[in-house]
Amino acid sequence: MRRRDFLAAGTAAAALGRPAIAATDSNKLMRYVPTADLSVLDPSWTTTQVSITHGYYVFDTLFGIDGTQTPRPQMAEGASVSDDGRVWTIPLRNGLTFHDGEKVLARDAAASLRRWAARDVYGQTLGAVVEAFGYQDDKTIRIKLKRPFPLILDTLAKPNGMLPVVMPERLANHDLAKPNTEMIGSGPYRFIKDAFVPGSSAAYERFDGYVPRQEKPDWGSGGKVAHIQRVEWKVIPDASTAANALMKGEIDWWEQVQPDLLPMLRKNPDLVVENFNTVGFFGTMRFNHLNPPFNNPAIRRAVRLGMNQEDYMSAVTGGDSTIFSSCKALFPCGTRYGEELGKAGMTGDVEAARRALDAAGYKGEKVVILNPADVPTIAPFGHVTYEYLRQIGMNVDLQSMDWNTLAQRRTKPDPVEKGGWSIFHNWWLGTSFINPAISPVLRGLGAKGWAGWFTDEKIEQLTDQWTTVATDQERDAVVHAMHLHALEMVPTVVLGRFYILTAHRKGLTGILEATSPFPWNVRWA
């Protein structure tokens, strides 16, 4: 059978290269403060950003996205597809080893993909057309499809949300209802189990058995060279404490700086404040679609009508208009599908929203907002929503908690009288909802999708159609129709785009532009 080759083996540069560069004395240690506590270790089980960042240390993926959003081989040597588009063959590159010393085999990758495709939004889209995630020998993955799926490599290279990481087959076959806690990957860093203290700290050591690709690092693709021997994570919920620790040299890199502390940090000559994520973050408000009052789309539309994105963006950025902008769309503005079709449905007119709420049949049902007090880049959203909903006449209860508690509460379908919820806020990286198949904020998968139980057969049908049409023009037309429908159904409200700046000691260099704070390429000057 004649085959067409894709991403052909990454050329000779993808061949077995030198092992990761040895750490010098100055590169022995980096101390890092993540966005929140690392409560879930399995990056293929949760969408929480801190777990995704952890996942990039420990695991690797078959493909990675570069700065142009193009999938590139990572663990894979390349990929080829049969003439009928139904069989994909993916050979593994040489030199892949798990942290326990076992070689990475094709059956490990196949089992990992099955696990990921059962939970991830984009993975479920692919999984619906997969006849078998299999392998033809120890070095070659074989994916057999029920019909052609032209976007398969984009799917396997997704950079955010639940990551399609490769783990040993025995771990990939664990109970899907529970996240894995044994961390055996093949990435550039090993997870140090004995150093992990939930709510306090974690540690990673460079894996000397990791063989990076020889290409230049570019977002999640290319050579992942670990220069620093040991990285220690310190969980510091209080922003002022984190800022003081950074200025005193007790920590080296603080991932997300609270806006009101930026002027102080910028004045310190020993620090650098910068933005490694130029795509930006998009604030979101998510409804509970299962229970009243937000099981009524007319009430969801009424609430959205009077919301003012500038209120939310000012609250989360300290009023710094240089690091936020409006975006009245369900795709990230500035990208192919980010057309602002939602302007008419989000005018900021509070009186019009109050009238629309009455017309929609709101009967005073209690609205419970879950608010993560320990995440300063999300918590302000809850306070803005609380005041706004009171203005339009809703019965509101703002409940503050830490992020881990919120993540558990949002999975419970109970009514608010029994510990349930109505609204929570979050942010998503722009690449997390850049197209319909990948988007948790848009998809109508019900209990299989993002928290909130939003179910919509039309959106799912259009998503399926988007994955099968042949041209960009056809995809544009499908997305336009889907976008208009979704704005009527209001699965989520986008609150605007903003940038969260990072700060680190001046001698720390090599931080890559991407949507996650990758540990590779970072070194002490």
Side-chain angles (χ1 to χ4, degrees), residues 187-352:
Y189 283 91
R190 296 186 301 112
F191 180 70
I192 309 305
K193 180 180 178 181
D194 292 343
F196 180 47
V197 181
S200 176
S201 59
Y204 307 83
E205 289 187 354
R206 190 197 59 194
F207 177 46
D208 291 332
Y210 182 77
V211 179
R213 299 185 70 89
Q214 296 300 293
E215 301 97 337
K216 180 182 178 181
D218 186 359
W219 278 50
S221 69
K224 299 180 178 180
V225 179
H227 295 282
I228 294 176
Q229 184 174 337
R230 182 180 174 95
V231 181
E232 294 178 353
W233 284 21
K234 309 291 184 183
V235 178
I236 306 179
D238 181 72
S240 296
T241 302
N244 286 328
L246 183 63
M247 291 189 293
K248 291 177 181 178
E250 297 169 352
I251 60 172
D252 305 308
W253 185 3
W254 182 15
E255 183 184 342
Q256 294 190 349
V257 177
Q258 191 163 313
D260 61 349
L261 297 172
L262 286 171
M264 177 178 68
L265 297 181
R266 282 174 169 147
K267 291 177 182 177
N268 191 311
D270 297 322
L271 304 181
V272 174
V273 176
E274 62 181 327
N275 179 21
F276 67 83
N277 173 18
T278 58
V279 173
F281 298 80
F282 291 78
T284 58
M285 183 173 81
R286 183 68 165 183
F287 298 107
N288 181 333
H289 296 259
L290 196 63
N291 296 319
F294 298 120
N295 60 344
N296 180 346
I299 289 179
R300 301 195 295 267
R301 288 192 295 271
V303 166
R304 182 189 58 193
L305 181 62
M307 294 173 68
N308 184 342
Q309 288 191 342
E310 187 171 345
D311 291 342
Y312 288 91
M313 295 296 96
S314 293
V316 79
T317 64
D320 186 348
S321 61
T322 66
I323 56 174
F324 74 80
S325 60
S326 66
C327 180
K328 297 177 181 179
L330 288 171
F331 295 97
C333 295
T335 65
R336 183 178 189 95
Y337 302 130
E339 186 180 2
E340 287 197 89
L341 299 177
K343 291 182 177 180
M346 194 178 192
T347 64
D349 188 334
V350 174
E351 289 302 321

Side-chain angles (χ1 to χ4, degrees), residues 8-32:
T11 70
L16 181 64
R18 68 189 188 286
I21 294 174
T24 64
D25 287 344
S26 63
N27 280 322
K28 283 186 176 179
L29 177 66
M30 180 183 74
R31 298 157 301 177
Y32 171 84

Side-chain angles (χ1 to χ4, degrees), residues 22 47 81 114 148 191 237 273 279 318 360 375 412 478 495:
T47 60
V81 63
R114 280 195 297 272
F191 180 70
V273 176
V279 173
V375 185
K412 296 181 178 180
V478 172
L495 306 175

Side-chain angles (χ1 to χ4, degrees), residues 97-103 184 207:
T97 307
F98 284 120
H99 298 160
D100 60 2
E102 295 292 325
K103 297 296 182 185
I184 302 295
F207 177 46

Side-chain angles (χ1 to χ4, degrees), residues 27-102:
N27 280 322
K28 283 186 176 179
L29 177 66
M30 180 183 74
R31 298 157 301 177
Y32 171 84
V33 177
T35 57
D37 178 30
L38 179 61
S39 60
V40 178
L41 298 177
D42 188 346
S44 64
W45 197 86
T46 180
T47 60
T48 301
Q49 181 59 35
V50 68
S51 301
I52 304 311
T53 301
H54 153 85
Y56 275 118
Y57 278 67
V58 179
F59 298 94
D60 212 346
T61 55
L62 294 173
F63 296 87
I65 286 287
D66 68 12
T68 68
Q69 302 302 299
T70 302
R72 303 292 182 190
Q74 193 56 38
M75 297 175 73
E77 186 176 293
S80 60
V81 63
S82 60
D83 289 338
D84 65 0
R86 293 184 57 201
V87 179
W88 284 82
T89 304
I90 303 173
L92 297 174
R93 66 182 176 94
N94 294 326
L96 302 177
T97 307
F98 284 120
H99 298 160
D100 60 2
E102 295 292 325

